[in-house]
Amino acid sequence: MLFSVERTTGATKVTNIADGTLAYVIPPVEGHLGNCAEYLLEDSQGDILRVPRYDPQFIDGLDVYRLDVAKKNGLPCWVKVNNISNQALFIDGNGWLGGFVLRASHLSGIKENCIYFLKNIYRGLRIKPSYGVERIDIETGEREYLPCPLKEPVSWFVPSLRHL
């Protein structure tokens, strides 16, 4: 199945890629901001999570939704969650590369129930941007910039055992 979020309406289309048919349309989340890109991620428990593309200029706070397949009114629906347990989300906030979810207890120094964003940090027109990481606690909304001075654009990736 292919999940896609319509930017203008916020509805999620689920398409069967084997035959191209539209399986169903999930209504938008309450308070959807038009033209706001969103990330769809599968967590370590197999649930589908939806996170708006984070931009502090346009989004006041951060909401994470889980796809509830219990079918409210006959359709799956998005349910706001404040806790994703022992998991951490890693999202490329600079581009459209997406993200992934890992168990926080498997990673040294990573806090559970948090989102880690890669961010551009602009300091003016004549100074090259730098890049950094921002951590947001899903339950409290607390934001923290992490000491990670990067000079070039970067992207997250999940290392295989060959890289460790």
Side-chain angles (χ1 to χ4, degrees):
M1 295 295 193
L2 173 68
F3 288 74
S4 61
V5 178
E6 289 186 339
R7 290 182 70 160
T8 54
T9 66
T12 305
K13 289 185 175 182
V14 182
T15 305
N16 182 335
I17 61 169
D19 61 13
T21 59
L22 183 65
Y24 44 87
V25 177
I26 304 168
V29 298
E30 188 176 323
H32 170 75
L33 301 172
N35 292 321
C36 176
E38 308 211 18
Y39 297 97
L40 295 173
L41 309 165
E42 181 179 5
D43 72 11
S44 61
Q45 299 168 339
D47 289 328
I48 304 295
L49 301 178
R50 180 176 173 168
V51 181
R53 185 168 184 211
Y54 174 67
D55 188 334
Q57 296 175 13
F58 303 110
I59 298 174
D60 183 26
L62 183 69
D63 295 329
V64 175
Y65 297 87
R66 180 183 48 79
L67 183 61
D68 182 357
V69 293
K71 301 188 177 184
K72 177 181 176 185
N73 297 327
L75 286 174
C77 62
W78 294 107
V79 177
K80 184 177 175 182
V81 295
N82 292 324
N83 195 320
I84 57 169
S85 301
N86 178 31
Q87 299 182 99
L89 283 64
F90 296 84
I91 294 179
D92 178 5
N94 296 317
W96 303 98
L97 299 175
F100 53 89
V101 183
L102 296 173
R103 292 187 188 273
S105 61
H106 294 172
L107 304 166
S108 177
I110 299 298
K111 287 178 62 176
E112 67 180 30
N113 202 40
C114 287
I115 300 176
Y116 289 79
F117 281 99
L118 294 175
K119 300 285 294 178
N120 286 341
I121 302 168
Y122 293 104
R123 295 177 284 154
L125 294 175
R126 295 186 177 176
I127 302 173
K128 283 185 155 184
S130 61
Y131 303 87
V133 176
E134 182 177 20
R135 178 173 56 208
I136 301 175
D137 185 292
I138 294 171
E139 188 170 7
T140 66
E142 180 181 318
R143 299 175 185 170
E144 178 181 4
Y145 286 97
L146 303 179
C148 180
L150 305 168
K151 303 257 186 244
E152 302 295 329
V154 294
S155 181
W156 298 114
F157 78 99
V158 180
S160 69
L161 292 177
R162 294 179 302 165
H163 295 105
L164 298 176

